[in-house]
Amino acid sequence: ADRVERSLFVSLGMMLFCGLFSYQLLQMTKDTILIDACGAEAITFVKVYGVLPASMVFLSLHSRLERTALDGRPRSDTYVKTAVPFIAFFALFGAVLYPLKDVLHPKRLPDLPDAMAFLSQSESLRSVRLLARHWTFALFYVLSELYGNVSVSILFWQFANQVVSMRQARGLYPELARFTWIASVLA
């Protein structure tokens, strides 16, 4: 039993470490990329009009996945089905979208019709225009923010609750909680 608990701790500890380590790297990277391309004022806009709706959509889809997981399939499928799209996007961003940013980002946006020309002059909509031009960075920011909220706070602890008994949790969870700071420091 002691050996099983030790292997469970090591497995869950590595999952938690990897999730937190990648979360910390994404936190630093997303801010740097977006502020450099669009300015700090774009962050508020992308959080309200990008992250908030994406969070609502994610929670809706995740709830649907959870309900369908109750039909006899292992609930760990939910963890994989939720984590894999994030991993795939970040791999795509690093391998394709970021290296091709000069090709994918338009140099300038098309002119607006005369009736809407005042919008192109508006300084308050500068962030919108910059985010539209740097759409891959905005998408990276939204998914990084969503991953941070989802990976550890929902997915990891939900998975841990499925594989750890109540008796094991009393000794294991405090140790995992102490283990979390290591990933933040190393990132």
Side-chain angles (χ1 to χ4, degrees):
D2 207 25
R3 184 176 177 186
V4 170
E5 285 186 18
R6 193 172 315 130
S7 68
L8 186 61
F9 173 75
V10 169
S11 299
L12 288 175
M14 289 308 297
M15 282 179 68
L16 184 59
F17 175 82
C18 290
L20 286 170
F21 186 79
S22 60
Y23 167 69
Q24 290 295 327
L25 291 178
L26 288 170
Q27 285 294 99
M28 293 181 280
T29 306
K30 73 177 176 54
D31 291 336
T32 303
I33 288 175
L34 196 66
I35 289 172
D36 188 46
C38 302
E41 63 275 8
I43 289 180
T44 303
F45 186 87
V46 80
K47 281 191 181 212
V48 172
Y49 297 105
V51 175
L52 184 62
S55 297
M56 289 184 218
V57 169
F58 171 80
L59 286 175
S60 171
L61 293 173
H62 185 69
S63 297
R64 177 175 276 156
L65 263 177
E66 279 296 309
R67 281 193 305 273
T68 59
L70 296 176
D71 66 4
R73 289 193 313 261
R75 294 186 79 188
S76 60
D77 283 356
T78 304
Y79 181 88
V80 172
K81 287 179 182 175
T82 306
V84 165
F86 284 108
I87 294 166
F89 172 76
F90 295 130
L92 178 71
F93 184 82
V96 178
L97 298 178
Y98 189 78
L100 294 177
K101 66 184 179 290
D102 294 331
V103 175
L104 296 171
H105 294 171
K107 300 292 182 239
R108 63 186 294 270
L109 295 175
D111 292 330
L112 294 170
D114 289 337
M116 298 174 64
F118 70 94
L119 291 175
S120 64
Q121 305 303 320
S122 170
E123 190 59 34
S124 61
L125 294 176
R126 180 178 172 270
S127 294
V128 176
R129 291 191 308 267
L130 286 171
L131 287 168
R133 277 189 51 218
H134 301 282
W135 64 273
T136 61
F137 297 165
L139 183 61
F140 180 78
Y141 188 95
V142 168
L143 289 175
S144 296
E145 201 55 37
L146 194 57
Y147 174 80
N149 296 331
V150 166
S151 68
V152 175
S153 56
I154 295 175
L155 291 180
F156 173 77
W157 289 111
Q158 188 177 41
F159 179 75
N161 286 336
Q162 292 168 12
V163 297
V164 175
S165 70
M166 289 294 283
R167 185 189 60 74
Q168 291 171 319
R170 286 188 188 105
L172 190 62
Y173 285 3
E175 294 300 318
L176 285 173
R178 281 188 219 122
F179 188 70
T180 59
W181 68 271
I182 295 172
S184 299
V185 169
L186 291 178

